[in-house]
Amino acid sequence: MPLQVQTPTPVHTFTQRISATPRGARLARRLARYHLDGWGIPYDSEMSDAVAQVAAELAANAATHGRVAGRDFELRLLLVPDGVRVEVTDTRTERRVPEHPELPGAEAESGRGLVLVAALAAEWGVAERAPGKTVWARLRFDGTPGPAHLSPSGV
Ligand SMILES: Nc1ncnc2c1ncn2[C@@H]1O[C@H](COP(=O)(O)OP(=O)(O)O)[C@@H](O)[C@H]1O
Ligand SMILES: [Mg+2]
């Protein structure tokens, strides 16, 4: 069982059930950008790009590998004081997410999604659900400032 990480109290959250289809995965990407913008993280920022990519990869995985016919997946975005947390929950229990994804060979057309997530996130992991699982990733603002209302004393 992976380590459960405490999530700091979020400043904003957004939760949406989305159909487990390629279209749903694209919707997840757009929703991420849209809600971040509303929270003060503009479309043209590095954080918006990174969160959109992570949301798109996790949603695409939920809609393919994690798909159960007739079930939606859930996208959850949390603005926390030091960054953004993305959570994607699917309902498929028996297929597992590798803990240490590795880059596939140069010829491979798939298998890069989780490597990308791991590269963009400060940390990521999988939490078991009944049924299914939540794949989460936490992206940090680091040197780049977050939304104005989070700094300098907005925490
Ligand atoms: N939500 C998920 N449910 C089940 N298996 C998953 C899920 N996400 C990823 N995986 C497994 O991890 C592998 C690697 O995922 P990824 O790096 O995104 O590559 P790809 O999606 O191109 O196969 C997948 O092929 C799949 O076996
Ligand atoms: Mg993938």
Side-chain angles (χ1 to χ4, degrees):
M1 185 81 171
L3 187 70
Q4 297 284 321
V5 177
Q6 281 287 329
T7 307
T9 309
V11 182
H12 290 288
T13 65
F14 166 76
T15 308
Q16 176 80 54
R17 283 175 58 170
I18 299 175
S19 65
T21 60
R23 195 172 172 180
R26 290 196 295 274
L27 178 62
R29 172 194 285 273
R30 286 205 305 277
L31 285 170
R33 279 198 184 281
Y34 174 80
H35 286 280
L36 260 56
D37 188 61
W39 296 342
I41 301 169
Y43 278 89
D44 60 0
S45 64
E46 274 182 31
M47 182 57 104
S48 180
D49 288 347
V51 170
Q53 286 202 53
V54 167
E57 292 297 341
L58 297 185
N61 284 351
T64 52
H65 316 301
R67 180 172 178 273
V68 174
R71 297 267 180 86
D72 294 338
F73 68 89
E74 188 179 273
L75 169 71
R76 198 165 149 76
L77 305 166
L78 301 91
L79 180 65
V80 291
D82 68 344
V84 176
R85 184 176 161 104
V86 181
E87 300 179 355
V88 174
T89 301
D90 65 52
T91 51
R92 192 158 180 191
T93 304
E94 80 282 8
R95 284 202 59 180
R96 306 193 58 87
V97 180
E99 274 181 49
H100 302 288
E102 286 176 13
L103 266 182
E107 302 295 307
E109 288 176 6
S110 63
R112 292 186 181 81
L114 290 174
V115 176
L116 182 74
V117 170
L120 291 170
E123 48 176 355
W124 74 284
V126 185
E128 306 297 328
R129 298 275 175 254
K133 59 214 175 282
T134 298
V135 187
W136 60 267
R138 192 170 63 82
L139 290 84
R140 270 217 310 258
F141 294 122
D142 287 323
T144 50
H149 60 280
L150 289 184
S151 61
S153 58
V155 174

